């Protein structure tokens, strides 16, 4: 079994969600939770962006016990100096520096040339190396960068000392097969690639961030950059809880993470609450309906054997139990199960009568709660 490192960027890329800015104290609380969750790397912010972000990175560096703490920079000397200063108390600091590598970034954003971009990338990594051993290089918009140029720039930054190569699909455009092939191309063609870890950083504009990250690790990447609840600018980033559970539920992939999955739900709730950003009910792993069953056919199956309709034990992600929701689509098995939970043991004849009464009420209201059940049973004239 090989381990994939989890690089959490909830407090940097995730915090770029409009209206979800966090204060320093809340950032510290989330950082502590992420450290307990077991993330390998915690991207704490972009220190040069504001005095508040600088302070947060500084405070998180002092607080975090296990994870590497990382600060983002552009390929600009001053950014790197400021990040190094903010990270100076971190036990295991990492500087994350980089530059756009796609044609549109080189030509339109920087009005530059591929050669000059390589020079800037190498200069940035070399400068960061003066402060820390662990330097991650990002090739922004790698998803739309020609593989041959991407391989060249990766080779040069490895020579300059980069320990991690981040291959972002910044615009979320790649297909899983294409993204996986990009990682494989780098693995097969970059001289010195054994000296660095390839990292997946996928955005979710087409809903493919998780699939692309998994394809990346199947093709040789050994780090995934992700956020809790998949939050992030536009359609968000790869969702941490999804990639962690995919690797865990598919042991034949021979890849796992060091995440304590039983803390996933509480971490998701903390981030959602702190950012006032609700988790969609049908969100995989942590959504309110992820372990809820409401159709009669499914309920009957789950009550007989949970695995019939669930591929994850809810306890493994910190959810107490699966829920059987009572609606007009529920069957007798679900009704008997819920009645028993509140102390009513119904025989077959009684159940038939209660079920009739139940359907009348359930057609009137969306959901039947434990509070409604005693009245329904009473009205059934048993
Ligand atoms: O999406 C992206 O390209 C990024 C980089 C700054 C790492 O977030
Ligand atoms: Zn990003």
């Amino acid at each position: 079994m090989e381990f994939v490192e989890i690089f959490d960027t909830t407090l940097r890329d995730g915090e770029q969600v409009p209206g979800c800015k966090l204060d320093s104290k809340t950032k510290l609380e989330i950082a502590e939770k992420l450290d307990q969750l077991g993330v390998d790397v915690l991207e704490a912010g972009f220190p040069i962006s504001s005095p508040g972000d600088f302070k947060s990175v500084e405070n998180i560096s002092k607080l975090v016990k296990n994870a590497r703490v990382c600060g983002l920079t552009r390929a600009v000397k001053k950014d790197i100096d400021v990040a190094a200063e903010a990270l100076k108390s971190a036990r295991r600091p990492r500087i994350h520096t980089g530059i756009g590598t796609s044609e549109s970034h080189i030509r339109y954003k920087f009005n530059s040339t591929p050669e000059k971009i390589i020079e800037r990338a190498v200069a940035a990594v070399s400068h960061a190396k003066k402060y820390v051993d662990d330097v991650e290089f990002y090739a922004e918009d790698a998803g739309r960068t020609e593989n041959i140029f991407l391989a060249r720039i990766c080779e040069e930054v490895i020579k300059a000392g980069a320990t991690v190569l981040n291959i972002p699909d910044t615009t979320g455009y790649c297909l899983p097969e294409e993204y996986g092939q990009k990682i494989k191309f780098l693995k097969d063609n970059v001289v010195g690639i054994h000296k660095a870890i390839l990292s997946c950083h996928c955005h979710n504009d087409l809903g493919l961030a998780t699939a692309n990250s998994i394809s990346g690790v199947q093709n040789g990447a050994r780090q995934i950059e992700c956020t809790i609840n998949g939050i992030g600018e536009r359609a968000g980033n790869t969702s941490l809880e999804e990639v962690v559970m995919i690797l865990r539920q598919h042991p034949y992939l021979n890849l796992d993470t060091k995440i304590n999955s039983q803390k996933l739900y509480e971490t998701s709730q903390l981030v959602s609450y702190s950012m006032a950003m609700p988790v969609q009910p049908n969100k995989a792993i942590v959504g309110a309906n992820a372990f809820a069953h409401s159709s009669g056919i499914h309920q009957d199956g789950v009550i007989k054997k949970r695995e019939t309709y669930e591929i994850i034990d809810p306890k493994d992600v910190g959810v107490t139990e699966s829920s059987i929701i009572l609606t007009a689509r529920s069957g007798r098995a679900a009704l008997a199960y819920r009645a028993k939970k509140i102390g009513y043991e119904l025989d077959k004849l009684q159940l038939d009568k209660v079920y009739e009464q139940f359907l009348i009420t359930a057609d009137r209201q969306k959901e039947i709660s434990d509070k409604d059940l005693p009245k329904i049973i009473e009205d059934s004239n048993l």
Side-chain angles (χ1 to χ4, degrees), residues 65-338:
K65 295 194 176 69
N66 307 306
R68 296 177 190 278
V69 180
C70 175
L72 184 78
T73 80
R74 293 165 297 182
V76 172
K77 259 188 171 180
K78 179 82 182 145
D79 281 31
I80 295 167
D81 297 337
V82 172
E85 179 64 24
L87 291 166
K88 81 172 181 260
S89 306
R91 290 175 202 204
R92 300 198 294 156
R94 174 180 292 180
I95 292 178
H96 190 189
T97 190
I99 195 160
T101 54
S102 64
E103 202 196 330
S104 64
H105 278 244
I106 298 175
R107 199 188 287 186
Y108 303 112
K109 188 166 146 186
F110 298 115
N111 188 21
S112 186
T113 63
E115 295 313 314
K116 286 196 181 120
I117 292 293
I118 293 181
E119 270 170 37
R120 276 188 68 179
V122 167
V125 171
S126 308
H127 191 61
K129 276 305 253 196
K130 293 181 191 149
Y131 293 109
V132 293
D133 286 336
D134 190 6
V135 176
E136 173 167 339
F137 172 76
Y138 64 84
E140 194 178 3
D141 206 12
R144 294 186 301 174
T145 299
E146 214 201 313
N147 286 349
I148 293 180
F149 179 65
L150 194 57
R152 266 190 69 208
I153 200 161
C154 286
E155 213 163 287
E156 295 306 320
V157 295
I158 290 175
K159 281 191 217 150
T163 45
V164 182
L165 302 174
N166 178 7
I167 311 301
D169 182 20
T170 306
T171 57
Y173 184 70
C174 286
L175 292 169
E177 168 85 12
E178 184 188 1
Y179 188 75
Q181 285 310 309
K182 193 173 276 291
I183 298 291
K184 184 167 170 9
F185 183 87
L186 298 174
K187 213 64 203 147
D188 291 345
N189 291 287
V190 172
V191 176
I193 194 69
H194 61 281
K195 296 186 196 152
I197 295 175
L198 280 163
S199 179
C200 310
H201 179 115
C202 299
H203 280 267
N204 206 30
D205 299 68
L206 290 172
L208 289 171
T210 294
N212 283 345
S213 299
I214 295 299
S215 179
V217 294
Q218 285 184 291
N219 282 283
R222 285 295 173 266
Q223 178 177 276
I224 296 178
E225 311 200 359
C226 45
T227 60
I228 298 292
N229 302 334
I231 57 163
E233 214 165 282
R234 308 189 310 279
N237 288 64
T238 301
S239 150
L240 182 149
E241 58 279 6
E242 290 174 14
V243 289
V244 165
M245 292 315 291
I246 289 169
L247 297 183
R248 202 143 293 168
Q249 298 306 113
H250 287 279
Y252 65 89
L253 292 176
N254 257 320
L255 295 170
D256 201 359
T257 69
K258 303 238 170 83
I259 294 295
N260 175 358
S261 66
Q262 289 177 355
K263 290 191 177 291
L264 284 172
Y265 184 68
E266 64 188 57
T267 312
S268 156
Q269 290 288 295
L270 175 68
V271 169
S272 165
Y273 173 79
S274 309
M275 290 191 164
M277 174 108 175
V279 177
Q280 72 193 63
N282 59 327
K283 169 79 183 63
I285 322 290
V286 292
N289 293 346
F291 300 99
H293 306 273
S294 85
S295 92
I297 298 172
H298 288 210
Q299 291 175 329
D300 183 45
V302 170
I303 290 167
K304 286 176 178 147
K305 191 166 170 59
R306 192 189 54 73
E307 289 86 343
T308 313
Y309 286 98
E310 280 183 358
I311 53 144
I312 297 173
D313 184 337
K315 292 191 188 67
D316 289 348
V317 299
V319 173
T320 338
E321 59 177 357
S322 321
S323 40
I324 299 291
I325 311 291
L326 290 181
T327 70
R329 303 290 151 262
S330 301
R332 285 173 177 71
L335 179 60
Y337 171 86
R338 286 277 300 271

